[in-house]
Amino acid sequence: AVNVEIGDMYNGSTMITIEDISAYEVVTEIDEYDIGKIEKGQKVIIKTNATGEEELQGTVTRISPRASVGGSEVTYKVTISIDTPNDMIRMDMTAKLSIILDSKENILTVPYESVQEDENGKYYVEVVTNEEVAQNQDEDKKGKQPQTNQDLNTKKIYVEKGIESDYYIEIISNEISEGMEIVVPNANNGGMNIQELM
């Protein structure tokens, strides 16, 4: 866009605008509580209304050293490159971002609440060890489900904790394998059945 003509007097406004659509960036504001966790090079998952459920890949490319001016909250401008080409993207769109702070592959995870701590400060999970008891196949009680984890035949297995998210936690133990049923304790389980406990 050329906003002036030959002979015009310059008044301080923008004379020429050049916009590059060969590559896109997302600019976001991150508050002072979280900005310390953000680093250049971190991977980002990007979603937009235009691209629906498709997850675009991105990378943190710039973190402003100073807080943004204005507003009641202290925030810092972060720039993220969009690394996945997509013809549906346009300038001035909005995006939802998930910045990957830490990641691991080929690990075992369980719901956060299932990892318990004993009186010595060691972490453990309760593993269901007898399917017949868990499924309660006694003919006299057919159709009923155990109501609490006391009705389950379980074994306590000590574990080490790895990386954590809001919902899941990595557990490390030679006694744990994929597919095991883990009890998720709930202080108010009252009428919860076996499916809700696991």
Side-chain angles (χ1 to χ4, degrees):
V2 179
N3 303 317
V4 294
E5 295 180 357
I6 295 174
D8 285 351
M9 293 292 293
Y10 179 60
N11 60 8
S13 61
T14 301
M15 297 173 62
I16 298 172
T17 303
I18 301 174
E19 296 179 325
D20 178 12
I21 59 170
S22 65
Y24 289 97
E25 293 177 331
V26 179
V27 178
T28 187
E29 297 283 341
I30 296 182
D31 65 40
E32 61 183 320
Y33 303 105
D34 295 320
I35 194 65
K37 303 172 190 172
I38 308 303
E39 299 175 3
K40 283 180 68 174
Q42 284 175 328
K43 296 301 178 186
V44 184
I45 296 171
I46 304 165
K47 285 187 176 184
T48 70
N49 290 334
T51 53
E53 289 303 308
E54 182 181 355
E55 293 184 347
L56 309 176
Q57 302 301 311
T59 306
V60 175
T61 57
R62 186 175 187 278
I63 303 167
S64 175
R66 299 188 64 124
S68 300
V69 178
S72 57
E73 294 183 359
V74 177
T75 60
Y76 293 80
K77 188 176 290 186
V78 174
T79 304
I80 295 155
S81 65
I82 300 179
D83 304 332
T84 306
N86 191 299
D87 294 337
M88 303 297 291
I89 298 175
R90 299 288 185 273
M91 294 181 117
D92 301 321
M93 286 183 170
T94 57
K96 181 178 179 182
L97 308 172
S98 296
I99 299 176
I100 310 301
L101 302 179
D102 199 0
S103 65
K104 281 187 181 180
E105 294 183 2
N106 301 317
I107 62 172
L108 296 173
T109 62
V110 295
Y112 192 89
E113 295 83 2
S114 65
V115 179
Q116 304 175 66
E117 187 175 358
D118 69 10
E119 61 277 1
N120 299 317
K122 292 184 177 180
Y123 297 106
Y124 69 91
V125 294
E126 288 186 78
V127 177
V128 177
T129 58
N130 186 331
E131 264 189 51
E132 290 187 4
V133 172
Q135 292 174 1
N136 200 3
Q137 293 178 347
D138 186 334
E139 288 299 322
D140 295 333
K141 299 179 180 179
K142 197 168 184 179
K144 295 182 180 178
Q145 294 289 343
Q147 295 299 305
T148 68
N149 58 359
Q150 281 82 22
D151 297 321
L152 302 176
N153 189 8
T154 63
K155 176 184 177 184
K156 185 185 291 188
I157 296 179
Y158 285 93
V159 297
E160 292 180 32
K161 296 200 300 185
I163 63 173
E164 304 177 17
S165 72
D166 291 340
Y167 305 103
Y168 293 97
I169 183 168
E170 176 193 4
I171 55 170
I172 304 162
S173 170
N174 292 331
E175 298 181 64
I176 298 287
S177 60
E178 186 176 359
M180 285 183 166
E181 293 184 338
I182 307 293
V183 174
V184 180
N186 188 321
N188 301 311
N189 54 44
M192 294 180 76
N193 60 34
I194 182 67
Q195 284 78 21
E196 292 172 304
L197 282 168
M198 291 186 187

